[in-house]
């Protein structure tokens, strides 16, 4: 059972990043022209030794990229758009994928509408705010608000709501967890009946 849940979670993680990449390719009508794996461990070592404050070092380290792919602007060396994988967002997506895989496994016997609604809403909220797309219009910083700008929201308005991302991610994970708990209780009740 645990191996199946882990396999489904890994597939969900791959599907999530695949959909982000596909969305960017479709939106900008251009395939990526670069892909880069970063020397993450070496970069972390440099951050930890070169940053006087441990708190600052930790915050910087969490945003240190693992991988990036995207499309560069013609005649420039900057990315027009990019998809970046960073540890803190990857951890959030891994949590969403694992909880969803658990919920799906539990719901195969009998799915409860309330549990499914909580899990669905929580996963959408957390997945949206864990996106790490970059676009030159939005200062090229990998962020969830790039999706909003890509969908047509005025870039300054999208950037103005960026700080709401972490609370939305946490609230989404709480909703998703509550959905799993409700499904577990429903399954126990069905087993006792």
């Amino acid at each position: 059972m645990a191996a199946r849940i882990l396999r489904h979670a890994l597939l969900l993680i791959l599907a999530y990043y695949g959909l982000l990449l596909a969305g960017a390719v479709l939106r900008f009508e251009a395939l990526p022209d670069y892909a880069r794996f970063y020397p993450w461990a070496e970069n972390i070592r440099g951050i930890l030794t070169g940053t006087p404050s441990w708190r600052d070092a930790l915050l910087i380290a969490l945003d240190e990229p693992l991988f990036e792919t995207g499309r560069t602007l013609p005649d420039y060396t900057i990315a027009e758009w990019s998809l970046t994988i960073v540890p803190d967002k990857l951890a959030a997506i891994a949590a969403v994928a694992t909880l969803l895989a658990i919920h799906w496994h539990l719901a195969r016997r009998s799915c409860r509408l309330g549990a499914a609604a909580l899990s669905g809403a929580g996963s959408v909220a957390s997945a949206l705010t864990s996106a790490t797309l970059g676009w030159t219009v939005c200062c090229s910083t990998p962020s969830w608000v790039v999706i909003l700008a890509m969908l047509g929201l005025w870039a300054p308005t999208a950037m103005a709501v960026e700080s709401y991302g972490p609370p939305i991610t946490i609230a989404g994970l709480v909703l998703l967890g509550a959905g799993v708990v409700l499904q577990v209780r429903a399954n126990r009740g069905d087993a006792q009946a």
Side-chain angles (χ1 to χ4, degrees), residues 21 23 27 32 34 41 48-49 51 54 59 64 87-88 96-98 100 104 146-147 152 165 168:
L21 182 59
R27 167 61 175 85
Y34 74 93
L48 294 176
T49 58
T51 307
W54 279 99
L59 292 174
E64 188 62 26
D88 63 336
V96 168
T98 302
L100 266 180
W104 288 344
V146 171
I147 291 176
I168 294 171

Side-chain angles (χ1 to χ4, degrees), residues 128-134 138 140-147 159 162:
L128 172 67
T129 55
S130 295
T132 48
L133 291 171
C138 296
S140 293
T141 304
S143 172
W144 70 278
V145 298
V146 171
I147 291 176
M159 297 301 289
E162 184 174 21

Side-chain angles (χ1 to χ4, degrees), residues 32-67:
D33 62 359
Y34 74 93
R36 179 178 307 133
F37 284 95
Y38 289 91
W40 188 79
E42 183 180 318
N43 292 347
I44 295 301
R45 190 172 25 260
I47 290 166
L48 294 176
T49 58
T51 307
S53 165
W54 279 99
R55 181 183 177 279
D56 292 342
L58 179 62
L59 292 174
I60 294 168
L62 287 173
D63 283 337
E64 188 62 26
L66 301 165
F67 173 79

Side-chain angles (χ1 to χ4, degrees), residues 99 102-103 106 112 114-115 118-119 173-189:
L99 288 169
I102 291 168
H103 183 269
L106 294 169
R112 295 294 189 253
L118 287 172
S119 294
L173 287 170
V174 168
L175 288 174
L176 184 49
V180 170
V181 168
L182 281 178
Q183 189 62 53
V184 166
R185 287 185 179 168
N187 285 12
R188 284 185 187 156

